[in-house]
Amino acid sequence: HLSIRRQRQMCIRDSSERTPIPAMEPPEFVFEGPRYLQIHDSYIVAQTDEGFVIIDQHALHEAMLVETLRQRARSGPLESQRLLLPETFEVTEAQADAIENHTDLITRLGVELAPFGPRTYAIQAFPTLLAKVAPLEFIQDLLDLLTSRKAAPSPEEMLDEVLNMTACKAAIKAGQKLTDSEIAQLLADRQRYESISRCPHGRPTTLTFSIGE
């Protein structure tokens, strides 16, 4: 009986000397997901410190592109790349005259057109900035623009109008689904520009709302 009592006393002593286990703090969950979302594949809603902004993805990208194009066009012809297979197209007499009369403008765009038979031209080189634009479609739109002008604008006015059209063609489209990385890149690029509150057509690129609103 004495040995049993001694064992019980030792067990009681051991249990009283154990270090108490501290209470576990509940884990702190930190949201690390993107602070933006795309709606209707056309607009981006992004959180800011003061509230949120709604961005027209096409208008914003177009505004940024036209600024980039203007800066590069001022320093010389846009960088271009030769096509592995030149694309040929037929022209009307008016379009052929437009090509001849606007050779300098077409060169500044980084486009190289060469005669390829009677009333036929070949697209030999195309600007790298327009890698996602179909060359033939772009040239047709360019010629339509050049032949539609009744009065002859100044070379700089004509260049500015063509650059506006170019930016519109190359910009992200309304209805275009973007990945999270594409949205993040667009928002990051937005910080590098100053005068992009409106696209060349006058549409606002961004609407800003405060928390109070």
Side-chain angles (χ1 to χ4, degrees), residues 78-95:
L78 298 180
E79 180 182 350
S80 63
Q81 184 175 7
R82 298 194 69 81
L83 302 184
L84 292 177
L85 295 175
E87 296 191 33
T88 61
F89 59 98
E90 295 183 354
V91 296
T92 64
E93 184 176 350
Q95 290 174 332

Side-chain angles (χ1 to χ4, degrees), residues 114-125:
F116 200 77
R119 290 196 177 181
T120 304
Y121 277 81
I123 307 171
Q124 302 284 359

Side-chain angles (χ1 to χ4, degrees), residues 25-46:
E25 292 291 335
E28 181 179 353
F29 292 100
V30 179
F31 177 73
E32 297 181 350
R35 295 178 180 272
Y36 49 76
L37 59 89
Q38 184 186 33
I39 57 176
H40 298 298
D41 293 343
S42 298
Y43 301 94
I44 298 168
V45 181

